[in-house]
């Protein structure tokens, strides 16, 4: 999910205390990545992708290297009083042809992004063409820049490698504002795409196309990523090109509040995967999964994914998370208007000034901010906490995800009750649930005969209780989740029924079945 710019506020956490430790990600089958033997600089402008923060500014004097303590305090600076807590919602969607279901090419994406700029007042985000002379206009003339995103009023539209269209929403006060933001965005992009015979679908995994059939966006670093992913896992290219997700970002008031929210949401994240499961198809067929999107993360890159079992240790906090990130291998460093490929190299070597490609240089706080976006656990910490367990879905489900987590995490009693559900789970039990829900969804079984559905019903009720305590009438946005637990059918279950009852086994029908409406 793309980096979301959030307003700063005075931190309310206590100063950090130095403590040396080394963290592993707690997942089995951990791979060691070979150091990259080549390095290339990727010239780019104004880019924001789910793996990276926005490029640091080069204006003014060069920033000084950041100390270890400053890196920890960067996370700590996200603390803010409850009255300043906001809701940040992100959602991706597949563009597809209304005639043959082929994925949206860059020429149409260019048209949609340019339409946002010209008709709706967005500011373009441009990037230099990866190869001089490789980009042409509709009339055949050569151009030097591609539009690869747009920004407006705290919102950002960005592109995933296969052209998945993402809105990273502004930090908003209420779920009512989230609904309005999503509706406005979906209406605008659907109207623009329709002018070229295309639509957008809300589903978690491309139901038809192979990686080779999907056009790659003209962003220089994607060639590097496409070459790197197969070296560290078997499903990284599927993640890049064939998945879509919904996320919500939440705030915290203190280190203790962060820890409680992080641990509770990490343990319960499989419930969101089950409730929002919406990726049962692959290559035009039933793949016998409820959330194939979630499943591909299991072998994307074990050095930067996983269940983070160490996050449930008694000494978990900002420092321990920072130590984990210092052990995550690097992707890029931004220097002189471009990105240097340092895939697989050690961030700790960078901190010690021992990178051969940049001898003597040490990371600035901007380098650290970028690096924080290059791990992909189910819950991720920056200056806020990201909930990353849900499949892409319908417009109603976009707001339902925010409603689910805001109701639980922003209400003290609901958070306490949610923690009481999972606080005694063992690491084996947490791993079991996370792994099983990708296949069985709501039907996953847990200890003592409890099912995932039972746990989901309890947590949807906690979310409703928490939203009612906000006294804003936001609990109505949980209606899609109540329908799921009452019917015992997720979006994936409904799609699978339609595959066998209505579509004669043709999973490509899912594109139009999940199409957003203008």
């Amino acid at each position: 999910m793309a980096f979301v710019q959030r307003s700063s506020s005075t931190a309310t956490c206590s100063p950090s205390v130095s403590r040396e430790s080394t963290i592993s990600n707690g997942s089995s089958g951990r791979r060691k990545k070979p150091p990259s033997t080549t390095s290339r600089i990727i010239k780019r402008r104004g880019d924001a992708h789910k793996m990276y923060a926005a490029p640091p500014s080069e204006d003014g004097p060069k920033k000084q290297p950041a100390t270890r303590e400053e890196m920890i305090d960067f996370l700590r600076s996200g603390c803010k009083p409850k009255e300043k807590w906001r809701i940040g919602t992100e959602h991706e969607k597949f563009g597809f042809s209304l005639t043959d279901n082929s994925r949206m090419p860059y020429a149409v994406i260019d048209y949609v992004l340019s339409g946002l700029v010209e008709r709706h007042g967005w500011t373009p985000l441009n990037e230099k063409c990866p190869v001089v002379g490789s980009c042409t206009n509709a009339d055949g003339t050569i151009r030097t820049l591609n539009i690869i995103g747009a920004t407006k009023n705290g919102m950002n539209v960005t592109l995933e490698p296969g052209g998945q269209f993402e809105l990273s929403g502004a930090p908003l006060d209420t779920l009512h504002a989230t609904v309005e933001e999503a509706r406005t965005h979906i209406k605008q992009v659907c109207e623009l795409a329709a002018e070229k015979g295309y639509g957008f679908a809300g589903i978690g995994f491309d139901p038809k196309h192979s990686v080779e059939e999907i056009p790659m966006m003209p962003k220089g670093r994607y060639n590097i990523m496409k070459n790197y992913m197969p070296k560290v896992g078997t499903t990284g290219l599927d993640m890049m090109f064939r998945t879509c997700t919904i996320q919500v970002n939440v705030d915290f008031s203190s280190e203790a509040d962060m820890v409680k929210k992080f641990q509770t949401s990490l343990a319960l994240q499989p419930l969101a995967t089950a409730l929002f499961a919406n990726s049962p198809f692959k290559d035009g067929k039933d793949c016998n999964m409820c959330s194939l999107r979630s499943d591909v993360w299991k072998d994307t890159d074990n050095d930067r994914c996983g269940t983070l079992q160490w996050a449930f240790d008694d000494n978990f906090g900002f420092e321990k998370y920072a130590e984990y990130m210092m052990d995550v291998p690097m992707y890029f460093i931004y220097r002189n208007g471009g990105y240097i490929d340092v895939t697989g190299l050690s961030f700790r070597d960078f901190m010690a000034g021992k990178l051969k490609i940049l001898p003597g240089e040490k990371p600035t706080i901007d380098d650290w901010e970028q690096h924080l976006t290059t791990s992909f656990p189910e819950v991720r910490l920056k200056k806020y906490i990201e909930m990353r367990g849900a499949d892409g879905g319908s417009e109603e489900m976009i707001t339902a995800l925010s409603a689910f987590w805001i109701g639980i995490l922003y209400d003290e009693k609901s958070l306490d009750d949610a923690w009481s559900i999972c606080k005694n789970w063992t690491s084996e039990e947490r791993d079991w649930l996370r792994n099983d829900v990708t296949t069985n969804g709501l039907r996953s079984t847990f200890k003592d005969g409890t099912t995932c559905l039972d746990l989901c019903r309890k947590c949807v009720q906690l979310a409703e209780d928490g939203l009612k305590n906000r006294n804003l009438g936001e609990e109505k946005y949980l209606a899609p989740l109540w329908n799921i637990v009452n019917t015992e059918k997720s979006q994936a279950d409904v799609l699978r029924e339609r595959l066998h009852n209505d579509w004669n086994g043709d999973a490509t029908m899912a594109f139009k079945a999940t199409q957003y409406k203008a």
Side-chain angles (χ1 to χ4, degrees):
M1 281 81 267
F3 174 77
V4 179
Q5 189 68 37
R6 299 173 73 87
S7 58
S8 61
S9 64
T10 303
T12 59
C13 299
S14 59
S16 63
V17 178
S18 177
R19 179 176 68 244
E20 297 293 341
S21 61
T22 301
I23 307 301
S24 66
N25 75 351
S27 62
S28 60
R30 185 177 177 93
R31 285 183 172 80
K32 295 295 183 183
K33 298 179 177 59
S36 175
T37 57
T38 60
S39 298
R40 290 176 287 173
I41 294 180
I42 314 305
K43 299 291 185 178
R44 35 199 299 282
R45 289 284 185 265
D47 187 25
H49 177 264
K50 72 180 179 183
M51 297 186 177
Y52 313 104
S57 171
E58 295 181 349
D59 298 332
K62 183 177 179 180
K63 292 188 177 181
Q64 294 298 309
T67 66
R68 175 183 176 276
E69 287 69 28
E70 286 171 339
M71 293 178 187
I72 297 168
D73 285 339
F74 178 86
L75 297 174
R76 194 183 307 276
S77 69
C79 298
K80 51 179 64 68
K82 186 171 183 177
E83 60 269 21
K84 292 187 177 181
W85 291 356
R86 298 293 182 265
I87 307 165
T89 306
E90 306 180 19
H91 43 100
E92 301 168 354
K93 46 208 158 291
F94 292 115
F96 71 100
S97 168
L98 298 176
T99 56
D100 64 6
N101 294 320
S102 59
R103 287 278 290 273
M104 184 180 287
Y106 177 72
V108 177
I109 289 173
D110 182 331
Y111 182 85
V112 175
L113 288 172
S114 297
L116 290 177
V117 172
E118 295 163 5
R119 304 186 203 178
H120 300 292
W122 289 67
T123 299
L125 299 174
N126 296 317
E127 178 177 323
K128 289 184 179 180
C129 295
V131 178
V132 176
S134 64
C135 307
T136 58
N137 296 308
D139 61 2
T141 57
I142 294 176
R143 62 183 179 188
T144 59
L145 293 176
N146 285 319
I147 183 171
I148 47 82
T151 184
K152 180 182 180 181
N153 297 336
M155 301 176 289
N156 291 287
V157 170
T158 55
L159 303 177
E160 301 301 306
Q164 301 97 309
F165 221 79
E166 178 178 4
L167 176 72
S168 295
L172 301 174
D173 292 328
T174 70
L175 293 171
H176 305 306
T178 299
V179 171
E180 183 179 355
E181 178 187 72
R183 173 87 292 265
T184 299
H185 169 73
I186 289 171
K187 182 176 187 297
Q188 289 176 356
V189 298
C190 285
E191 287 177 346
L192 288 164
E195 294 172 8
K196 292 293 184 179
Y198 284 78
F200 286 103
I203 191 169
F205 196 94
D206 186 312
K208 177 182 180 182
H209 304 101
S210 67
V211 169
E212 292 74 21
E213 293 173 321
I214 299 170
M216 187 168 69
M217 294 301 99
K219 300 173 72 170
R221 67 167 178 265
Y222 286 158
N223 281 320
I224 292 177
M225 291 177 60
K226 189 174 183 180
N227 292 331
Y228 179 69
M229 285 293 180
K231 299 176 182 178
V232 294
T234 62
T235 55
L237 297 183
D238 286 333
M239 179 277 293
M240 288 176 62
F241 290 92
R242 300 210 278 181
T243 64
C244 280
T245 186
I246 308 168
Q247 289 185 195
V248 60
N249 304 323
V250 302
D251 289 316
F252 47 83
S253 62
S254 65
E255 184 164 41
D257 186 45
M258 181 280 290
V259 169
K260 192 169 188 178
K261 286 174 178 173
F262 195 100
Q263 293 177 337
T264 302
S265 60
L266 185 59
L268 298 179
Q269 204 66 209
L271 307 190
T273 300
L275 282 167
F276 291 81
N278 192 31
S279 48
F281 306 141
K282 178 183 180 182
D283 300 328
K285 300 177 292 184
D286 189 340
C287 67
N288 298 313
M289 290 273 179
C290 287
S291 179
L292 179 58
R293 179 211 62 84
S294 180
D295 198 73
V296 302
W297 283 107
K298 296 177 186 177
D299 196 26
T300 290
D301 184 341
N302 286 333
D303 279 331
R304 63 189 78 244
C305 303
T307 53
L308 306 190
Q309 295 295 352
W310 49 265
F312 295 94
D313 293 347
D314 291 340
N315 64 346
F316 176 65
F318 294 122
E319 182 176 6
K320 196 162 187 177
Y321 192 90
E323 289 284 348
Y324 154 69
M325 284 304 308
M326 291 170 191
D327 287 330
V328 171
M330 299 173 67
Y331 271 140
F332 299 104
I333 301 172
Y334 186 86
R335 291 292 184 274
N336 302 319
Y339 276 85
I340 303 172
D341 174 13
V342 292
T343 47
L345 300 187
S346 165
F347 193 84
R348 289 191 185 274
D349 283 350
F350 190 22
M351 292 172 66
K354 295 180 180 180
L355 286 187
K356 291 182 179 180
I357 190 171
L358 290 173
E361 280 209 40
K362 297 181 180 181
T364 67
I365 204 67
D366 289 334
D367 295 322
W368 175 241
E369 184 175 10
Q370 273 194 296
H371 187 62
L372 287 172
T373 68
T374 65
S375 70
F376 314 117
E378 294 293 278
V379 176
R380 183 165 66 183
L381 178 63
K382 298 180 187 173
K383 289 186 177 181
Y384 46 92
I385 308 173
E386 297 178 344
M387 307 293 115
R388 298 170 45 83
D391 285 357
S394 67
E395 187 171 342
E396 293 77 14
M397 293 297 277
I398 292 171
T399 307
L401 182 70
S402 294
F404 180 72
W405 287 118
I406 295 303
I408 292 174
L409 300 178
Y410 278 11
D411 180 76
E412 185 174 353
K413 185 177 186 305
S414 289
L415 178 56
D416 285 341
D417 290 344
W419 177 236
S420 70
I421 291 174
C422 60
K423 65 181 180 181
N424 293 321
W425 291 356
T426 66
S427 59
E428 292 79 13
E429 288 167 343
R430 290 190 295 264
D431 270 341
W432 164 261
L433 190 59
R434 188 267 179 271
N435 289 323
D436 198 59
V437 294
T438 63
T439 300
N440 295 313
L442 298 169
R443 291 171 291 282
S444 292
T445 56
F446 203 47
K447 61 181 182 179
D448 302 325
T450 301
T451 66
C452 183
L453 177 63
D454 297 330
L455 295 171
C456 287
R457 184 175 286 110
K458 289 180 180 179
C459 286
V460 174
Q461 183 62 62
L462 292 180
E464 180 172 289
D465 294 342
L467 291 176
K468 285 182 177 178
N469 288 338
R470 283 165 60 89
N471 294 314
L472 297 172
E474 298 169 316
E475 60 273 14
K476 65 182 179 181
Y477 299 121
L478 292 169
L481 303 187
W482 280 120
N483 180 66
I484 286 169
V485 297
N486 289 334
T487 63
E488 303 183 9
K489 293 179 182 179
S490 67
Q491 295 170 102
D493 295 323
V494 173
L495 288 175
R496 184 172 283 116
E497 285 183 354
R498 297 192 66 182
L499 176 74
H500 298 297
N501 297 334
D502 303 328
W503 300 343
N504 196 29
D506 181 8
T508 62
M509 297 293 290
F511 277 115
K512 290 187 173 65
T514 60
Q515 182 181 354
Y516 291 109
K517 306 301 181 185

